[in-house]
Amino acid sequence: MNRKIIHIDMDAFFAAVEQRDFPELRGQAVVVGGRPDSRGVVATCSYEARKFGIHSAMPTSRAYQLCPHAKFVSPRFSAYRQASEEIHKVFKQYTDIVEPLSLDEAYLDVSETDYFNGSATLIASEIRSDIYNAIQLTASAGIAYNKFLAKLASDQNKPDGQFVIRPGEAEVYLKSLPIGRFYGVGKVTESKMQASGIKTGGDLKNKTLVELQRLFGNSAEYYYNISRGIDHRPVSSNYVRKSLGSETTFQNDISDTDQMLKHLADLLHEVLKSLLNRKLLAYTITIKVKYADFTQVTRSYTSDTVISVDNKARQLIPVLLAKTDVNKRPVRLLGVSFSNLTSSDNVSDSGQMLLF
Ligand SMILES: [Mg+2]
């Protein structure tokens, strides 16, 4: 049986809440995040701000350069949490199988829902209208037969829109899609794929599993499947992510520590961005080193304060790397991951949210 999965994603959520609650911000370029003179980053910005090239995870100082007249506001997590609770009340009316990804994003499995004769398209549009009636904020929806496709689809007609990918339509849809838009392909992987001639979903699909394994190791099967629109992961209402990381295998083993540090910095940047997108913070950082002879070691550091903010993680990487044998042994793979994760809504507004 084909599953019916809806991915709901609120539109410019934090910024939309600010514009709803402060009418003087409506129609304005709004940047929710740190002060423009701080080292913080943009958490969310309004669609008006996006026209100036501002986007999430960009340093606020850069956002200020792009649009000095933008309204820079500090996040009010209590307001976002409250809106998030209302959204979940709506979800519960349609299904119990809800997997939140962050305050403003969730997967819903509506395979067993009878409303509208089981039409997931109509259910999605009703959910969006219920959300609007409850909290006066717009949402977008993606409807498909698995999570990977539903998430891609919710981006298609944003804001305040929805898009369906039916069985049989996925391959055509994915074929021309730029590789960077595939979920799970970060910046580092994207440039590696580009270098191997993989620019679109079609290019990815043309690679054999063996070729992908040579390029991407353990992740090969995931890439092989998503290029075919295959994703069997269930929507899991009690799913809690344990860790988040990224790694890269080198075409040729490397021995230069500076080069390793540069790769680790790129990986770190990628993982920090994924954490930010999922509104997660971490207390533990781990680096993974696989030597040329395929033996591998990990080195970790755990703090009692959030570590995935500001420059903390960046400063720890050389310290952790120095605890390995990289000055004596060539390296074929490096990885960075974070664990001991917590949702950023568990951390107080004024507390350790240095990112914002
Ligand atoms: Mg969103």
Side-chain angles (χ1 to χ4, degrees), residues 32-46:
V32 181
R35 308 295 320 155
D37 54 357
S38 75
R39 288 214 315 252
V41 298
V42 175
T44 312
C45 61
S46 65

Side-chain angles (χ1 to χ4, degrees), residues 227-238:
S227 71
R228 288 158 178 77
I230 299 169
D231 176 11
H232 298 300
R233 293 172 301 159
V235 175
S236 162
S237 30
N238 45 26

